[in-house]
Amino acid sequence: MVTNDDLARVVDTNDQWIRERVGIVTRRVADTETVADMAAAAAGKALAGSGLSAADIDHVVVATCSSVDRCPNVATRVAAKLGVRAPAAYDINTACSGFSYALATADHAIRAGASRYAIVIGAEKLSDVTDWTDRATCILFGDAAGAAVVGPVEEGEAPGIGPVLWGSAPERGDAVRIEGWRPYIKQEGQTVFRWATTALAPLAYEACTRAGVAPEEIAAFVAHQANGRIIDGIAKRLNLPNAIIAKDIVESGNTSAASVPLALSKLVERREVPSGAPVLLFGFGGGLTYAGQVVRCP
C-alpha cells in the first residue's frame, strides 16, 4: 500500500492536495506479481464463488493495457494457471473501458452459442508504466485485478447483462497514452476531465435506456475509478436517487481496466447491492473509449 504521505516524500505534493483534487488516499503497488498473476488470482476467486469448475469454462478474456508481455497473451496464461482446457482466450486493450468491452464480447459469444461459460477479467500493473517523478500522474495509479464469471440464463429467464453502449472519441485519443518501448503514462488531465464531465453522462443514460431501466431503478453506479470529482459529476448529471455510488478510488486509486470489476466485487462482497438489482457499469478513458451496460448480479 502506498499512501499520499509516501508519495509526498518522493515528489512535491501533499495528502490534502491529492484528496481534494482526485479523491485518492491510498493505492496498491504490486511487487513481483505480473498482470497474469493478478488476473489469475482474481479469476480463481470469481470461479470459486460461481460454483463452477475450470472444466466448465470455455472462454477467457482479459482487459488490460499494461501487460509487458505481448505473446503469449494474458488470457492463455490465466487459463493455464487455472487449468482451463482449450478455451477461447484473448486480451482486449481499450484501457479504462476494457472490462465493459470484455464483458460485452463474452455476453455476445454466449448469446450466439459460441461459448457457454466465460471468465471476464480486468487486470493492470500500472506501476510498471508510471513515472514516479511526475507529480501530475504518479498520484493517480495503482495495481489491481477483478473478475466475473458469465454464463447462460435458463429458458424464459431475463438476461443478467443489458445491451452494451460503446464507442470512442478517437480525435482526442492522445489525451491519455502509453507509447514506445519504455513507456510512461502521459495524460492531458484537463482535456480528459472536461470530456468526462460533459460528454459521458448522456452516454451512461443511454446504456440504461437500452436495458429498459430507469435511472431511479439503478441500485448502484460503478464508474471507472478515474477521479472522485469526475465520478460525482457524472452521477449528479445522471440523477440516480437510489443508487450507491462506488468510490473504490479512495483506497485503490485509478486501476484502469481493473477498476470497474474491483469496485463492483467489493459492493457485492459487502452485500451493499441486493441480489438481482440493476447496477450500471460505465468505463471510460484511454483512447478516449467508453463502454457501459446494466448488469444484475446473482
Side-chain angles (χ1 to χ4, degrees):
M1 183 173 71
V2 177
T3 68
N4 292 342
D5 289 334
D6 292 332
L7 291 176
R9 298 186 187 100
V10 180
V11 294
D12 182 16
T13 190
N14 61 73
D15 177 65
Q16 181 180 354
W17 189 90
I18 296 172
R19 289 179 187 241
E20 290 176 352
R21 292 298 182 95
V22 295
I24 299 171
V25 177
T26 60
R27 71 283 293 149
R28 305 301 189 275
V29 173
D31 184 12
T32 59
E33 296 161 296
T34 66
V35 171
D37 291 333
M38 292 187 290
K45 186 177 179 181
L47 184 60
S50 72
L52 300 172
S53 71
D56 297 308
I57 304 299
D58 59 6
H59 191 132
V60 180
V61 52
V62 177
T64 185
C65 66
S66 58
S67 177
V68 173
D69 299 325
R70 290 166 174 76
C71 184
N73 64 18
V74 180
T76 55
R77 286 180 164 162
V78 170
K81 288 175 183 287
L82 296 184
V84 178
R85 294 182 60 83
Y90 56 94
D91 295 355
I92 281 180
N93 177 7
T94 61
C96 310
S97 63
F99 182 77
S100 282
Y101 267 81
L103 187 62
T105 63
D107 173 41
H108 298 163
I110 292 168
R111 289 175 187 260
S115 297
R116 184 161 176 81
Y117 289 104
I119 295 181
V120 182
I121 309 159
E124 302 284 14
K125 191 176 180 182
L126 296 176
S127 60
D128 279 347
V129 291
T130 296
D131 181 353
W132 296 101
T133 67
D134 178 9
R135 68 173 186 167
T137 57
C138 75
I139 63 172
L140 299 173
F141 301 109
D143 302 335
V149 173
V150 182
V153 295
E154 298 296 330
E155 187 72 29
E157 184 181 349
I161 300 175
V164 67
L165 181 284
W166 54 11
S168 63
E171 68 280 2
R172 288 181 285 183
D174 286 345
V176 183
R177 56 196 182 275
I178 307 172
E179 298 174 327
W181 287 104
R182 294 184 179 275
Y184 285 135
I185 300 173
K186 301 296 182 182
Q187 178 171 283
E188 296 169 14
Q190 287 303 311
T191 298
V192 176
F193 186 87
R194 286 193 297 270
W195 173 73
T197 53
T198 59
L200 297 184
L203 299 171
Y205 183 85
E206 175 64 20
C208 293
T209 301
R210 293 189 181 191
V213 176
E216 58 268 22
E217 297 177 82
I218 296 295
F221 176 46
V222 185
H224 166 48
Q225 305 292 292
N227 178 308
R229 292 190 297 158
I230 289 176
I231 296 168
D232 288 339
I234 297 173
K236 183 177 180 179
R237 293 191 66 193
L238 279 173
N239 188 21
L240 306 170
N242 302 308
I244 295 169
I245 310 301
K247 282 290 190 71
D248 186 48
I249 188 170
V250 174
E251 62 181 35
S252 300
N254 180 338
T255 58
S256 192
S259 74
V260 168
L262 183 65
L264 176 61
S265 71
K266 291 181 179 181
L267 292 183
V268 171
E269 288 175 355
R270 292 195 295 258
R271 301 186 183 277
E272 294 184 30
V273 180
S275 179
V279 177
L280 174 59
L281 310 182
F282 197 77
F284 56 89
L288 295 169
T289 62
Y290 55 84
Q293 58 270 95
V294 175
V295 303
R296 298 176 186 268
C297 298

